Every structure is written in structure tokens, then in C-alpha cells.
Amino acid sequence: MKLMLLVCVVLALAPAAFAQNPDDYRGGWKTETSGTPRIYQFSIRGATVRGVYCTWCNDATTLAFVDGKFGAGGITFTVTHVDNNGKTTHSDAGTAVFEKPNLIVTGKLGGRQGGNFRWGMVKDG
């Protein structure tokens, strides 16, 4: 009987041991591919993810909007790129998974670049 109770307690606590921590994802992440910087800034409230993406962040025309969901598998998100008039030009789809101490971001680029990507990112700051 005691063994059965112990097994039940361990199984009940197991999901908490493997739960994702939103603090691991929050903030800025950076990498560079072929000489182009890529930066994500994630803000997480509950399961809602908002943020920005940019390449040359001092040039506001490279800013894009991040919208997604946070869950047990990390972050799934869309990056919406807009032109100077606020019209959507294309979208990227991605997934971010925290693999201490890096963030692994994979997905599909929209627009002219197109194609799949996989970036290992480091905390910015």
C-alpha cells in the first residue's frame, strides 16, 4: 500500500519537474547568420507571447512583430513583417525551445528568403 502511494505521488509530481519556465525564454536572444544579425525579444504573460524581431535593429524598417503561445514544448510563434505603410509583406513561422543555456529556434521563413531555418541563439545581455 505504501509503495502504491509513493508511486502515485511521484507520478503526480513528474509533470512539474519537466514543466517549462517562461523566465528561461523572456528577454532578448541573438545570433548571426551569413553576416546578418537576428534578434528576438520575447515577452510572456501566461500562455501569450508577444515581442519583436529585427535584423539591423537600429533600422526600424527591419522590425517585425512576434505573436505566439507558450506551452510545454516551448514557444510557437509567427513573425509578421510589414512595409513602411504598415501593410503585411510576409510572415515567418517558428518554434523556440530552451536548451540550457541556448535557445534553439526552428521554422520556415516567408518572403524572398523562404526556406527552413535552425538557429542556436544566445541570451542578449
Side-chain angles (χ1 to χ4, degrees):
M1 184 66 173
K2 288 182 183 180
L3 179 59
M4 187 63 137
L5 180 59
L6 179 61
V7 169
C8 288
V9 169
V10 168
L11 290 176
L13 294 176
F18 298 108
Q20 296 288 318
N21 182 350
D23 288 336
D24 291 333
Y25 291 83
R26 286 187 177 105
W29 294 89
K30 63 183 178 179
T31 193
E32 187 174 309
T33 58
S34 304
T36 302
R38 303 202 182 259
I39 298 169
Y40 288 98
Q41 181 80 28
F42 294 115
S43 174
I44 303 170
R45 179 171 286 173
T48 302
V49 176
R50 299 277 189 257
V52 293
Y53 163 86
C54 56
T55 52
W56 306 101
C57 299
N58 60 341
D59 176 359
T61 64
T62 72
L63 293 174
F65 305 100
V66 174
D67 293 291
K69 295 290 179 192
F70 175 76
I75 298 174
T76 55
F77 61 93
T78 300
V79 178
T80 304
H81 299 264
V82 297
D83 64 15
N84 291 337
N85 296 316
K87 179 183 171 195
T88 299
T89 59
H90 65 279
S91 297
D92 308 328
T95 302
V97 177
F98 183 68
E99 292 183 7
K100 200 172 195 173
N102 299 318
L103 190 69
I104 307 301
V105 181
T106 58
K108 184 168 179 66
L109 296 172
R112 289 177 284 156
Q113 291 180 330
N116 296 324
F117 67 89
R118 185 182 199 296
W119 299 322
M121 305 191 85
V122 296
K123 194 75 166 171
D124 186 21

